[in-house]
Amino acid sequence: MTHVDHRTLPEELGVLIKETQAILHQRMDERLRPLGLSVAQYACLQALLDTPGITGSELARRTFVSRQSMNVLLQGLEKRGLIERSDEPGPRRERATTPTSAAVELTHRARADVAAVVGTMTGQLSTTDLDRLTALLAACRDALLAS
């Protein structure tokens, strides 16, 4: 018996995006693991470097984990000496988190590995195609955020 797929174009697009995201995550994990980082840890450190003073809630949103999971993730990074957290809670009872110099160095190395993965993913696209893909994906994201 042959399986015939009757997905609509929107369904197919949703599946394709999800498959791409899953493979991207897997390839990033393969490159980050030798550095002792998970994708979530890398995303957290990157967000801390990109946005000094970012709140724990925003960190959780940017790394696609719950606030509780973010707290566990931050505790692990703190034990490894990659972040420092203030003893005193600030606004909304959140403790300020800053990356250490070791985290800055590690994140820069990890960024190169992640860029290599993305380069592999987009290597067959022209600059025009890449610009268009970026614009289209941003428009899709923005449409979902506005709904």
Side-chain angles (χ1 to χ4, degrees):
M1 185 162 126
T2 305
H3 174 71
V4 178
D5 206 348
H6 297 289
R7 290 185 190 145
T8 63
L9 183 57
E11 289 170 329
E12 186 62 32
L13 180 60
V15 169
L16 181 60
I17 290 170
K18 182 59 181 166
E19 286 174 341
T20 303
Q21 183 275 332
I23 296 166
L24 175 62
H25 191 279
Q26 179 183 2
R27 295 296 182 264
M28 288 172 58
D29 185 61
E30 290 166 357
R31 295 293 297 261
L32 293 170
R33 194 176 312 123
L35 298 175
L37 290 175
S38 68
V39 174
Q41 289 170 326
Y42 166 75
C44 176
L45 291 173
Q46 190 63 58
L48 286 168
L49 291 175
D50 289 346
T51 315
I54 190 171
T55 66
S57 299
E58 182 61 23
L59 273 174
R61 277 191 290 281
R62 288 197 190 181
T63 56
F64 307 104
V65 300
S66 67
R67 288 179 64 197
Q68 295 79 8
S69 294
M70 177 52 62
N71 193 43
V72 172
L73 191 148
L74 289 172
Q75 287 171 1
L77 292 173
E78 187 174 28
K79 286 178 185 169
R80 288 182 57 195
L82 295 173
I83 64 165
E84 294 174 345
R85 298 170 80 187
S86 68
D87 292 330
E88 297 299 319
R92 296 181 300 267
R93 300 184 335 191
E94 293 190 13
R95 295 168 54 194
T97 304
T98 55
T100 64
S101 58
V104 173
E105 181 182 324
L106 182 62
T107 305
H108 286 300
R109 287 177 38 212
R111 181 183 284 171
D113 286 337
V114 169
V117 171
V118 174
T120 298
M121 180 179 72
T122 60
Q124 295 180 3
L125 301 177
S126 69
T127 302
T128 302
D129 287 343
L130 190 54
D131 289 343
R132 185 74 178 133
L133 176 62
T134 301
L136 290 169
L137 287 172
C140 291
R141 177 205 56 213
D142 294 348
L144 290 172
L145 287 172
S147 65

